[in-house]
Amino acid sequence: MIGLISATAAGAAARDRLAAAWPDRTRVYEGSVPDAVRAAFAECERLVCFLATGAVVRLVAPLLRDKASDPGVVCVDEGGRFAVSLVGGHGGGANELARAVAEVLGAEPVVTTATDAAGLPGLDTLGLPVEGEVAAVSRALLDGAAVALRAEVSWPLPPLPVTGEGPYTLRVTDRLVEPGEREAVLRPPTLVVGVGASRGAPVDEVLDLVEGALREAGLSEASLAELATVDAKAGEPGIVEAARRLGVPLVTYTAGELARVEVPNPSEAPLAAVGTPSVAEAAALVGGGELLVPKRKSAGRPATATCAVVRRPGRGRLAVVGLGPGARDLLTPRAKDELRRASVLVGLDQYVDQIRDLLRPGTRVLESGLGAEEERARTAVAEARRGQAVALIGSGDAGVYAMASPALAEASDDIDVIGVPGVTAALAAGAILGAPLGHDHVSISLSDLHTPWEVIERRVRAAAEADIVVTFYNPRSRGRDWQLPKALAILAGHRDPATPVGVVRNASRPDESSRLTTLAALDPATVDMMTVVTVGNTATREIAGRMVTPRGYRWQEETR
């Protein structure tokens, strides 16, 4: 919950705007400001104070205890011009909150945390447990000092300016090790513990077994990702409570799924009880990985629980990112986040140039020219399979005539794939023209590079006969100048010559141009590959210089 505190009418007005935008996330504290701050500090994860920074400093200073547990505090000035991350930038989430508040209020976020200001990811913001000399290693990264990366396990990390050797070390491991001098240790969640238990197995016995197995194998409990078992034990109190105390999810599989997993130590007992020859080892191994601790039994007499420990390989991450039509303000916040998260960027050179300034220092850029789409898709998937965090970029929406389909055709289930939507050229052009896509519409590419013209022509004819608004992508190039006239002729056989047609070139870019014409008057020679052509249906009209397709056909009936 986010506590909101204000002292003046102007502050209350901005406070109420934020509360209206986030009704389920905020709580307004009224009354005495000092009392409100104390109450919110004790009850909320974060605070937004519509007060002067000096006043807030004096109010929260006596309340501060530990940066790991104190709430993040953001200050907003009386004019609503700035949202200042004051306390708890990373641990308390104040940096992220300041940016979110600024977006709602139209203010400027002010973040002074050194790593954020330098464009580096903070080691405590990676979503992984981190310990050791975190501040010293972070400072070394900021100062450009040599920081060695010791990755004992593979895990997709954002770009970090690390080297092979150096006086400082960033260690990525799931081993139970003490951080050395000038060393920070990141612990990724690579370990899965499979658990089997008899009915009524005590939670302490299950917990002692799991913790002992990890400890004796020299593995860190901080890298435990989940407990896994058969679904027949999904409600077993001892297992459920052990997962709760360990702070990890309990994942279950059917007996049939577990029976298909090859294990070194099958047994008749679980086969008779739940229908699979292995629970602990099979549940740990069902997702693949290296068996570090074979099945072992608990210390009870008789033993009521078994467990096994597996290290799963870190899964690479491929984000397929749509950049929109070109304008920076049409690039979504989610796309920006993914670009900054990626340690490897793959894309067409001209698209890379559009967003190069958004990349973090150290991002590896793999760019290529026109016509290498499949090569870029293969490269991106291969990098993800090496355990990297990869962003594969395309214009518009990555799933519309762009990189998502070739990438997903290459990818299998051994990597995580995230799709990031973008504003398409058809939508950008439609907004410029008016509302041509107000009813059913279709996008058709006229490029026969990958699709035979016979197929394209059949689709154009179907759209014409169905009276659907059509947006043509890739309408005309120097070596391909006859397809657009042919497509327009097909449409003309079903639509009036006066049907509105919108032509937009370089939508949303500095040299954007647009015009509204008709099906009969459009000169295909004025169209190129940077142009989107939208042809209306029989209901589409020009109104005050804008192209409008009504949502229904009542308008058409009334104007006959």
Side-chain angles (χ1 to χ4, degrees):
M1 187 62 65
I2 303 171
L4 307 181
I5 301 111
S6 62
T8 66
R15 176 203 68 191
D16 292 344
R17 285 175 57 199
L18 195 61
W22 299 340
D24 299 326
R25 301 172 55 192
T26 56
R27 179 189 303 165
V28 173
Y29 284 79
E30 305 277 8
S32 162
V33 169
D35 291 343
V37 169
R38 283 191 292 270
F41 199 92
E43 297 168 358
C44 297
E45 291 83 13
R46 287 172 288 178
L47 281 68
V48 179
C49 298
F50 296 85
L51 305 163
T53 54
V56 179
V57 167
R58 292 183 175 86
L59 289 169
V60 302
L63 308 176
L64 298 175
R65 293 291 180 267
D66 183 351
K67 65 182 295 184
S69 59
D70 289 337
V73 180
V74 169
C75 289
V76 177
D77 65 293
E78 287 285 296
R81 296 171 299 168
F82 304 102
V84 183
S85 174
L86 187 67
V87 173
H90 285 166
N95 292 353
E96 177 187 357
L97 180 60
R99 296 186 182 100
V101 169
E103 184 172 350
V104 172
L105 300 180
E108 182 74 21
V110 179
V111 176
T112 58
T113 305
T115 50
D116 289 59
L120 294 174
L123 298 181
D124 54 351
T125 68
L126 302 181
L128 304 177
V130 59
E131 56 191 73
E133 298 293 331
V134 179
V137 173
S138 296
R139 174 55 59 186
L141 290 170
L142 285 167
D143 290 345
V147 177
L149 176 66
R150 292 179 57 190
E152 298 173 9
V153 293
S154 175
W155 198 258
L157 296 174
L160 293 164
V162 292
T163 62
E165 298 294 335
Y168 297 88
T169 303
L170 178 62
R171 188 173 182 180
V172 185
T173 184
D174 56 15
R175 308 295 303 181
L176 187 61
V177 295
E178 289 294 325
E181 185 179 0
R182 295 183 174 181
E183 181 178 69
V185 176
L186 288 170
R187 301 198 181 278
T190 57
L191 304 177
V192 177
V193 176
V195 179
S198 304
R199 181 178 298 177
V203 60
D204 289 340
E205 186 169 338
V206 175
L207 204 56
D208 288 347
L209 173 65
V210 172
E211 292 175 339
L214 293 171
R215 183 174 57 253
E216 292 171 26
L219 299 169
S220 172
E221 190 177 311
S223 285
L224 181 59
E226 63 189 44
L227 294 190
T229 190
V230 66
D231 59 3
K233 297 295 179 179
E236 185 63 44
I239 297 178
V240 173
E241 178 61 16
R244 189 193 69 79
R245 293 190 192 179
L246 290 166
V248 297
L250 176 62
V251 179
T252 62
Y253 302 95
T254 66
E257 289 175 304
L258 298 185
R260 291 191 290 270
V261 180
E262 291 187 15
V263 297
N265 300 294
S267 172
E268 293 296 324
L271 180 61
V274 294
T276 173
S278 172
V279 173
E281 287 181 340
L285 284 166
V286 71
E290 177 187 3
L291 183 63
L292 302 179
V293 179
K295 182 178 72 175
R296 58 185 290 173
K297 296 182 179 180
S298 59
R301 295 290 183 270
T304 63
T306 59
C307 84
V309 183
V310 163
R311 175 187 288 137
R312 288 185 182 170
R315 290 171 63 88
R317 188 176 191 279
L318 173 60
V320 188
V321 182
L323 300 181
R328 179 58 60 83
D329 59 352
L330 292 182
L331 179 67
T332 68
R334 187 182 302 179
K336 293 177 183 178
D337 290 343
E338 289 295 345
L339 293 175
R340 294 177 65 79
R341 178 171 181 166
S343 59
V344 179
L345 181 87
V346 181
L348 179 67
D349 46 14
Q350 64 189 54
Y351 296 154
V352 172
D353 289 341
Q354 290 179 20
I355 49 83
R356 199 183 297 271
D357 62 302
L358 296 178
L359 305 178
R360 290 189 188 276
T363 303
R364 187 156 54 96
V365 177
L366 305 176
E367 54 189 310
S368 53
L370 287 168
E373 290 85 357
E374 293 180 354
E375 178 186 345
R376 285 194 291 274
R378 286 193 292 269
T379 298
V381 171
E383 290 291 335
R385 285 185 174 138
R386 295 188 184 102
Q388 301 293 324
V390 182
L392 175 62
I393 59 173
S395 66
D397 181 278
V400 179
Y401 303 123
M403 295 304 301
S405 53
L408 269 60
E410 288 286 332
S412 54
D413 61 0
D414 58 345
I415 61 173
D416 294 325
V417 178
I418 297 91
V420 182
V423 178
T424 67
L427 295 177
I432 294 164
L433 294 170
L437 310 182
H439 206 281
D440 296 338
H441 55 275
V442 63
S443 295
I444 299 177
S445 171
L446 294 184
S447 171
D448 54 3
L449 180 63
H450 299 291
T451 306
W453 173 252
E454 293 76 14
V455 175
I456 297 172
E457 182 174 340
R458 189 166 63 246
R459 293 170 179 172
V460 175
R461 198 172 302 280
E465 293 172 353
D467 195 27
I468 297 175
V469 174
V470 182
T471 297
F472 289 123
Y473 280 70
N474 306 313
R476 185 177 180 274
S477 66
R478 290 181 180 177
R480 192 175 43 78
D481 59 2
W482 59 267
Q483 287 91 341
L484 179 59
K486 177 66 174 176
L488 294 173
I490 294 172
L491 291 174
H494 297 268
R495 299 183 192 178
D496 189 277
T499 299
V501 175
V503 180
V504 180
R505 188 177 189 278
N506 284 330
S508 87
R509 299 182 181 181
D511 55 347
E512 167 191 301
S513 63
S514 65
R515 68 184 188 278
L516 195 57
T517 182
T518 66
L519 188 55
L522 174 62
D523 180 3
T526 62
V527 173
D528 62 13
M529 285 288 286
M530 305 305 294
T531 305
V532 173
V533 177
T534 300
V535 182
N537 65 11
T538 55
T540 305
R541 297 288 184 271
E542 179 182 345
I543 303 176
R546 302 182 185 92
M547 186 176 177
V548 180
T549 303
R551 292 187 61 185
Y553 287 92
R554 288 175 296 179
W555 178 19
Q556 179 183 6
E557 294 168 357
E558 292 168 359
T559 56
R560 282 177 179 170

